[in-house]
């Protein structure tokens, strides 16, 4: 990839991207996202078509099973993924958050071993956030991200030897970047996020003793992993970087991907950094895939813990699969946000500790937290299990034997919602939509750090409960009226009509929209950006 002539200049001051401006910018063919879009745009469109075809097959009754065509890959005991890359050997605590300037400093200093800079679920894709996030990552790598707020609070990077390793999560394949086009079409958002970071930061990270590392969201099968692997190969070749320098952890957050974990690792072998268990997106995928079936009816999301049989099967299979192939297995999110109530904090931290103890004892090599205040408890738990080791790759978990029926055994916890669960889902979805449309992708709600995955499961549950008539539409509309009124009082700045319409389109329609973000992006976010709102 050749340099971008109008690439953003480097500077030590806090910055964001341009506000407003043309509907779409047009990168020349040699620029980072344009070169990738030209090479892989058609394959990405094929990926989305195949997703739709598979969804129709499953909806019509076709069984979901481990693929017969790849049985030789699963049966072959000889292959392994690449050994851990520099900075990724010990991943006992990983912190996640948007690539905002303040978050970058706090995450890098948090004591976590890895910071996942999240352009996906934790970032509302305004032009300012997309470009500003890239600038912040560049400044963090160059150690010029220190700043002082107008109130006089200082944010400065600490000891370089103790800073977290950076991993970047680009947006998913389903989303276009509405501000950029190539050959008359929007550039896939994933290629914008990957391409800009790789072009500007890959060599800098290598020079710093790390590398260009990524988290890959919402993959549904091995073919999508192969697409990413081919992107990595081309990007490395174009910049003269040795193949295998890129490393990527795949989030297993779709039901179909859970049936192809080994195949996904196999496709990414030289670029693999393991798998991660993503809870809310996994439940959201379950509803999208099987929400038409009554035996997949989920209760309140707060009642669906990781000890549920189908989630237990999924996480244990993930650990076994990873360790069989020499890959890290990373656990799910602890989303508690410490507050001012000591008793509430103590209770919440006790739940976090129990969750992390289960993961560590199951063989996970590390886990996620959403707030720096949770790093110590997560680290303490994994320290106690690892006992001086950097990971648990030696734990093969040969005792685990998971069948397709185990992965789909939702009926064992299936049930109707409570009135409080219905109201909570409506309230959370509306408040998250309000924050997202304002440009904030990670928001504290009711003591938890919520992101787009939370809103997706909340609105999908409302849709599922309505479909199976365990709640009636009149009740939902009454609660929606009440929560919209409360939202207008709490957030006087919120465009309540837009927010309500977004909820109605994405939660109350006859068919469940695959994601809320493309609708909200094109109808509201870009429009408001162009208007200078």
């Amino acid at each position: 990839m050749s340099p971008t002539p109008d690439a953003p200049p480097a500077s030590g001051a806090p910055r964001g991207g341009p506000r407003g401006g043309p509907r779409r910018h047009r990168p020349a063919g040699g620029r980072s996202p344009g070169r990738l879009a030209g090479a892989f745009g058609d394959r990405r469109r094929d990926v989305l078509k195949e997703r739709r075809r598979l969804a129709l097959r499953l909806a019509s009754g076709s069984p979901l099973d481990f693929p017969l065509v790849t049985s030789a890959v699963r049966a072959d005991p000889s292959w392994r993924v690449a050994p851990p890359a520099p900075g990724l050997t010990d991943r006992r605590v990983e912190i996640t958050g948007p690539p905002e300037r303040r978050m970058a400093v706090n995450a890098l200093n948090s004591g976590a071993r890895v910071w996942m800079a999240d352009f996906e679920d934790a970032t509302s894709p305004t032009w300012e956030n997309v470009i500003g996030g890239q600038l912040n990552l560049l400044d963090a790598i160059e150690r010029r991200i220190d700043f002082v707020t107008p109130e006089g609070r200082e944010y400065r990077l600490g000891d370089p030897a103790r800073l977290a390793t950076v991993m970047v999560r680009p947006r998913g394949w389903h989303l276009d970047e509405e501000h950029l086009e190539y050959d008359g079409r929007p550039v896939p958002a994933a290629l914008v996020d990957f391409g800009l970071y790789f072009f500007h930061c890959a060599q800098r990270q290598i020079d710093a003793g790390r590398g260009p590392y990524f988290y890959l969201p919402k993959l549904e099968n091995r073919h999508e992993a192969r697409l990413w692997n081919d992107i990595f190969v081309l990007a490395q070749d174009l910049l003269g970087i040795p193949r295998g320098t890129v490393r990527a952890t795949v989030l297993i957050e779709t039901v179909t991907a859970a049936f192809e974990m080994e195949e996904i690792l196999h496709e990414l072998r030289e670029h693999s950094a393991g798998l991660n268990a993503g809870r809310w997106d996994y439940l959201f995928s379950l509803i999208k895939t099987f929400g038409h079936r009554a035996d997949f009816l989920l209760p309140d999301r707060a009642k669906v813990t990781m000890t549920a049989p189908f989630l237990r099967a999924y996480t244990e299979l993930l650990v076994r699969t990873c360790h069989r192939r020499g890959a890290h297995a990373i656990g799910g999110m602890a989303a508690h946000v410490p507050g001012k109530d000591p008793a509430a904090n103590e209770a919440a931290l006790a739940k976090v500790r129990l969750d992390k103890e289960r993961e560590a004892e199951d063989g996970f090599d590390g886990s996620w937290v959403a707030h720096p205040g949770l790093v110590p408890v997560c680290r303490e738990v994994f320290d106690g299990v690892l006992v001086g080791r950097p990971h648990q790759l030696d734990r093969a978990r040969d005792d685990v034997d998971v069948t397709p029926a185990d992965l789909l055994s939702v009926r064992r916890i299936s049930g109707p919602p409570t009135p409080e669960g219905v109201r909570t889902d409506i309230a959370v979805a509306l408040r998250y939509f309000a924050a997202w449309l304002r440009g904030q992708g990670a928001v504290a709600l009711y003591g938890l750090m919520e992101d787009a995955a939370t809103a997706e499961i909340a609105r999908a549950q409302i849709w599922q409960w309505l479909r199976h008539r365990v709640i009636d539409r009149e009740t939902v509309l009454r609660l929606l009226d009440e929560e919209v009124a409360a939202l207008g009082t709490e957030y006087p700045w919120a465009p309540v009509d837009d927010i309500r319409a977004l909820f109605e389109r994405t939660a109350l329609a006859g068919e469940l929209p695959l994601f809320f973000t493309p609708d909200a992006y094109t109808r509201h976010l870009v429009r408001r950006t162009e208007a200078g709102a």
Side-chain angles (χ1 to χ4, degrees):
M1 287 174 275
S2 60
T4 306
D6 55 351
S11 166
R15 297 150 304 178
R19 192 159 195 151
R23 173 68 168 79
R24 288 187 181 131
H25 305 282
R26 296 173 173 81
R31 301 180 190 175
S32 306
R35 185 67 176 268
L36 297 176
F40 299 105
D42 287 343
R43 283 181 60 187
R44 179 260 190 169
R45 285 187 287 274
D46 290 341
V47 156
L48 298 181
K49 290 177 183 177
E50 180 55 32
R51 285 184 179 183
R52 291 190 287 271
R53 285 193 290 267
L54 177 58
L56 290 173
R57 290 198 298 272
L58 294 174
S60 68
S62 296
L64 184 58
D65 203 342
F66 301 118
L68 180 61
V69 70
T70 56
S71 57
V73 171
R74 297 192 300 276
D76 180 358
S78 65
W79 64 268
R80 297 287 188 276
V81 304
L88 294 181
T89 299
D90 187 332
R91 301 171 63 180
R92 67 190 67 198
V93 186
E94 301 191 352
I95 190 168
T96 75
E100 299 169 349
R101 207 164 187 85
R102 185 175 309 187
M103 178 68 200
V105 177
N106 286 340
L108 291 169
N109 287 337
S110 67
R113 299 301 177 98
V114 169
W115 170 40
M116 188 193 77
D118 188 9
F119 283 92
E120 200 221 8
D121 280 350
T123 295
S124 173
T126 64
W127 187 239
E128 295 96 329
N129 287 345
V130 170
I131 299 303
Q134 295 285 346
L135 291 167
N136 290 334
L137 290 173
L138 180 59
D139 284 352
I141 294 166
E142 294 286 347
R143 294 190 58 81
R144 56 176 183 238
I145 200 169
D146 300 350
F147 69 100
V148 180
T149 68
E151 297 77 26
R153 186 170 181 178
E154 295 185 1
Y155 289 83
R156 304 191 184 282
L157 292 182
D159 180 357
R162 299 176 62 85
L163 298 181
T165 298
V166 176
M167 300 184 76
V168 172
R169 176 159 70 165
R171 286 167 285 177
W173 285 128
H174 61 285
L175 198 64
D176 288 322
E177 172 49 65
E178 293 294 335
H179 300 91
L180 288 171
E181 68 176 25
Y182 176 82
D183 198 22
R185 299 188 182 196
V187 178
L191 298 183
V192 173
D193 299 339
F194 169 80
L196 289 175
Y197 178 74
F198 188 85
F199 176 77
H200 291 288
C201 299
Q203 189 60 54
R204 287 179 167 91
Q205 288 283 45
I206 295 167
D207 294 343
R210 294 293 187 260
Y213 305 146
F214 299 90
Y215 260 98
L216 304 181
K218 295 181 175 57
L219 269 63
E220 297 199 2
N221 53 57
R222 63 191 181 279
H223 304 294
E224 299 184 19
R226 184 181 303 166
L227 173 57
W228 269 117
N229 195 73
D230 291 346
I231 290 167
F232 297 157
V233 169
L234 177 61
Q236 289 167 130
D237 287 350
L238 289 171
L239 289 191
I241 291 173
R243 294 190 183 188
T245 303
V246 171
R247 295 299 172 86
T249 299
V250 174
L251 292 114
I252 302 299
E253 52 189 356
T254 65
V255 175
T256 53
F259 284 79
E260 299 193 27
M261 289 193 232
E262 286 203 77
E263 291 86 344
I264 288 170
L265 288 177
H266 187 264
E267 293 292 347
L268 287 164
R269 291 188 300 286
E270 65 178 343
H271 298 115
S272 177
L275 304 176
N276 171 279
R279 177 183 177 189
W280 293 132
D281 267 311
Y282 191 80
L283 296 179
F284 171 49
S285 170
L286 191 81
I287 295 175
K288 284 194 298 182
T289 307
F290 296 110
H292 58 289
R293 290 173 49 174
D295 54 335
F296 282 85
L297 184 68
L298 290 175
D300 297 357
R301 69 184 180 106
K303 295 183 177 181
V304 188
T305 68
M306 295 305 288
T307 59
F310 74 99
L311 290 176
R312 190 97 176 109
Y314 146 68
T315 54
E316 290 201 311
L317 179 61
L318 188 148
V319 174
R320 180 184 185 277
T321 299
C322 284
H323 288 185
R324 186 181 183 216
R325 304 305 182 180
H328 280 91
I330 307 300
M333 174 71 77
H336 171 63
V337 177
K340 297 180 180 179
D341 183 344
N345 281 338
E346 184 177 352
L349 286 175
K351 291 181 180 179
V352 170
R353 180 179 293 277
L354 283 174
D355 190 51
K356 299 311 173 189
E357 286 175 347
R358 173 191 54 77
E359 290 179 330
E361 290 165 3
D362 282 350
F364 279 96
D365 302 292
S367 190
W368 276 10
V369 299
H371 191 280
L374 302 182
V375 170
V377 65
C378 186
R379 183 175 57 225
E380 180 182 340
V381 167
F382 276 89
D383 284 350
V385 171
L386 293 175
V387 193
R389 297 173 298 159
H391 48 64
Q392 301 192 77
L393 294 179
D394 58 321
R395 286 195 62 191
R397 290 305 312 268
D398 290 333
D399 58 305
V400 172
D401 182 19
V402 173
T403 68
D406 295 330
L407 290 171
L408 300 176
S409 61
V410 179
R411 65 186 181 280
R412 295 173 65 181
I413 65 159
S414 180
T418 65
E420 295 79 12
V422 177
R423 181 182 288 277
T424 296
D425 273 351
I426 294 172
V428 167
L430 292 176
R431 282 156 181 77
Y432 185 79
F433 288 167
W436 197 90
L437 292 177
R438 203 184 194 200
Q440 184 179 0
V443 56
L445 294 173
Y446 309 117
L448 298 175
M449 185 61 70
E450 308 286 27
D451 62 14
T454 307
E456 295 287 27
I457 181 63
R459 58 107 181 168
Q461 284 204 293
I462 297 296
W463 176 87
Q464 186 186 38
W465 294 333
L466 283 170
R467 180 182 178 93
H468 294 286
R469 300 182 181 180
V470 295
I471 56 175
D472 60 79
R473 193 175 183 88
E474 290 71 25
T475 297
V476 171
L477 291 175
R478 174 178 58 79
L479 293 174
L480 181 58
D481 287 340
E482 294 173 5
E483 291 301 324
V484 166
L487 178 69
T489 300
E490 294 172 32
Y491 304 159
W493 45 264
V496 292
D497 291 341
D498 286 349
I499 294 166
R500 182 188 181 112
L502 177 61
F503 183 87
E504 291 177 344
R505 288 194 304 274
T506 59
L508 307 185
E511 295 297 325
L512 180 68
L514 296 180
F515 298 96
F516 85 83
T517 44
D519 177 296
Y521 195 12
T522 55
R523 284 179 184 258
H524 303 294
L525 208 58
V526 172
R527 186 186 72 201
R528 301 175 83 82
T529 299
E530 290 179 336

